[in-house]
Amino acid sequence: MGSREEIVAAAAKVMREQGYAHATTKVIARTAGYSEALLYKHFRDKTDLFLSVLSDELPALGATLAELTADPGRASLRDNLVRVARLGLAFYLDSFPIAISMFSSRELLRSHRERVGGAGPRIPLKGVEDYLRAEVELGRLNADTDVEAAASLLLGVCFQQAFLATFEEREPADLADRLVDTLLAGL
């Protein structure tokens, strides 16, 4: 039986090259070296495969945020935030080529949003908010810190920098330290 991991890796490759909308299950299966029927033994549909690509192939932002939320004091607040900024940037850089084509069709976007329960892009944001709340509880951030705004500022910049780097076909500048220093100065 074909390897689920090989199919996910092939899907990531095809989706990065062609975008979600144009990556067919037939091409993904062929790239993986398997039949399309085998692909459907592992995945319900292309959306299921896409969600697996996001969780299996992209940088481990979610896992890192869960780890930091559970034990925020393992490293300094600044070091933790720099780590989050670097992973956030890497996550958006890797996911842009895959996900951007979903915005080419309202129907496709609506279908995808319904499939993921509307949460999709909010998941990393909520993870950063949860981590920042843990830092407030630890006393390393002021109790009146607006964790929603701080998380939005941090991930918003990562998103924008990934967008610009993708658009300009260049490597992004490593701004994580400067971004975090600027954010912390405001907190």
Side-chain angles (χ1 to χ4, degrees):
M1 189 143 161
S3 164
R4 180 187 184 284
E5 293 78 20
E6 290 172 328
I7 294 169
V8 171
K13 178 183 184 314
V14 172
M15 288 179 183
R16 279 188 186 105
E17 292 170 358
Q18 299 179 17
Y20 175 83
H22 299 291
T24 66
T25 53
K26 186 176 195 169
V27 170
I28 292 168
R30 187 174 54 235
T31 301
Y34 298 114
S35 71
E36 193 173 11
L38 184 82
L39 184 142
Y40 286 110
K41 289 186 181 198
H42 292 284
F43 305 96
R44 288 187 305 264
D45 54 24
K46 188 168 77 170
T47 300
D48 189 30
L49 183 53
F50 170 72
L51 294 174
S52 293
V53 166
L54 287 180
S55 64
D56 297 0
E57 285 288 307
L58 298 180
L61 180 60
T64 297
L65 289 170
E67 170 193 313
L68 291 176
T69 300
D71 186 14
R74 223 168 57 192
S76 73
L77 170 63
R78 183 185 183 283
D79 288 349
N80 286 343
L81 287 173
V82 167
R83 185 175 172 200
V84 169
R86 285 195 176 116
L87 284 171
L89 182 59
F91 174 80
Y92 291 122
L93 272 171
D94 282 352
S95 63
F96 258 124
I98 297 170
I100 199 72
S101 66
M102 279 191 291
F103 291 87
S104 66
S105 158
R106 286 186 188 262
E107 179 65 31
L108 180 60
L109 182 58
R110 187 177 305 114
S111 172
H112 180 73
R113 188 174 46 244
E114 289 170 4
R115 177 67 190 278
V116 298
R122 291 203 176 270
I123 293 171
L125 189 60
K126 183 182 178 323
V128 175
E129 290 171 14
D130 291 345
Y131 161 66
L132 292 174
R133 279 188 195 90
E135 288 287 5
V136 168
E137 289 176 19
L138 195 61
R140 298 195 315 181
L141 279 176
N142 293 330
D144 64 346
T145 298
D146 186 338
V147 296
E148 183 179 348
S152 294
L153 286 168
L154 184 61
L155 287 185
V157 170
C158 293
F159 184 88
Q160 180 202 35
Q161 290 300 311
F163 174 78
L164 290 172
T166 300
F167 179 79
E168 295 167 353
E169 294 183 324
R170 63 168 173 81
E171 288 295 314
D174 186 1
L175 300 173
D177 290 293
R178 291 175 33 219
L179 296 174
V180 169
D181 289 342
T182 302
L183 179 65
L184 288 175
L187 297 175

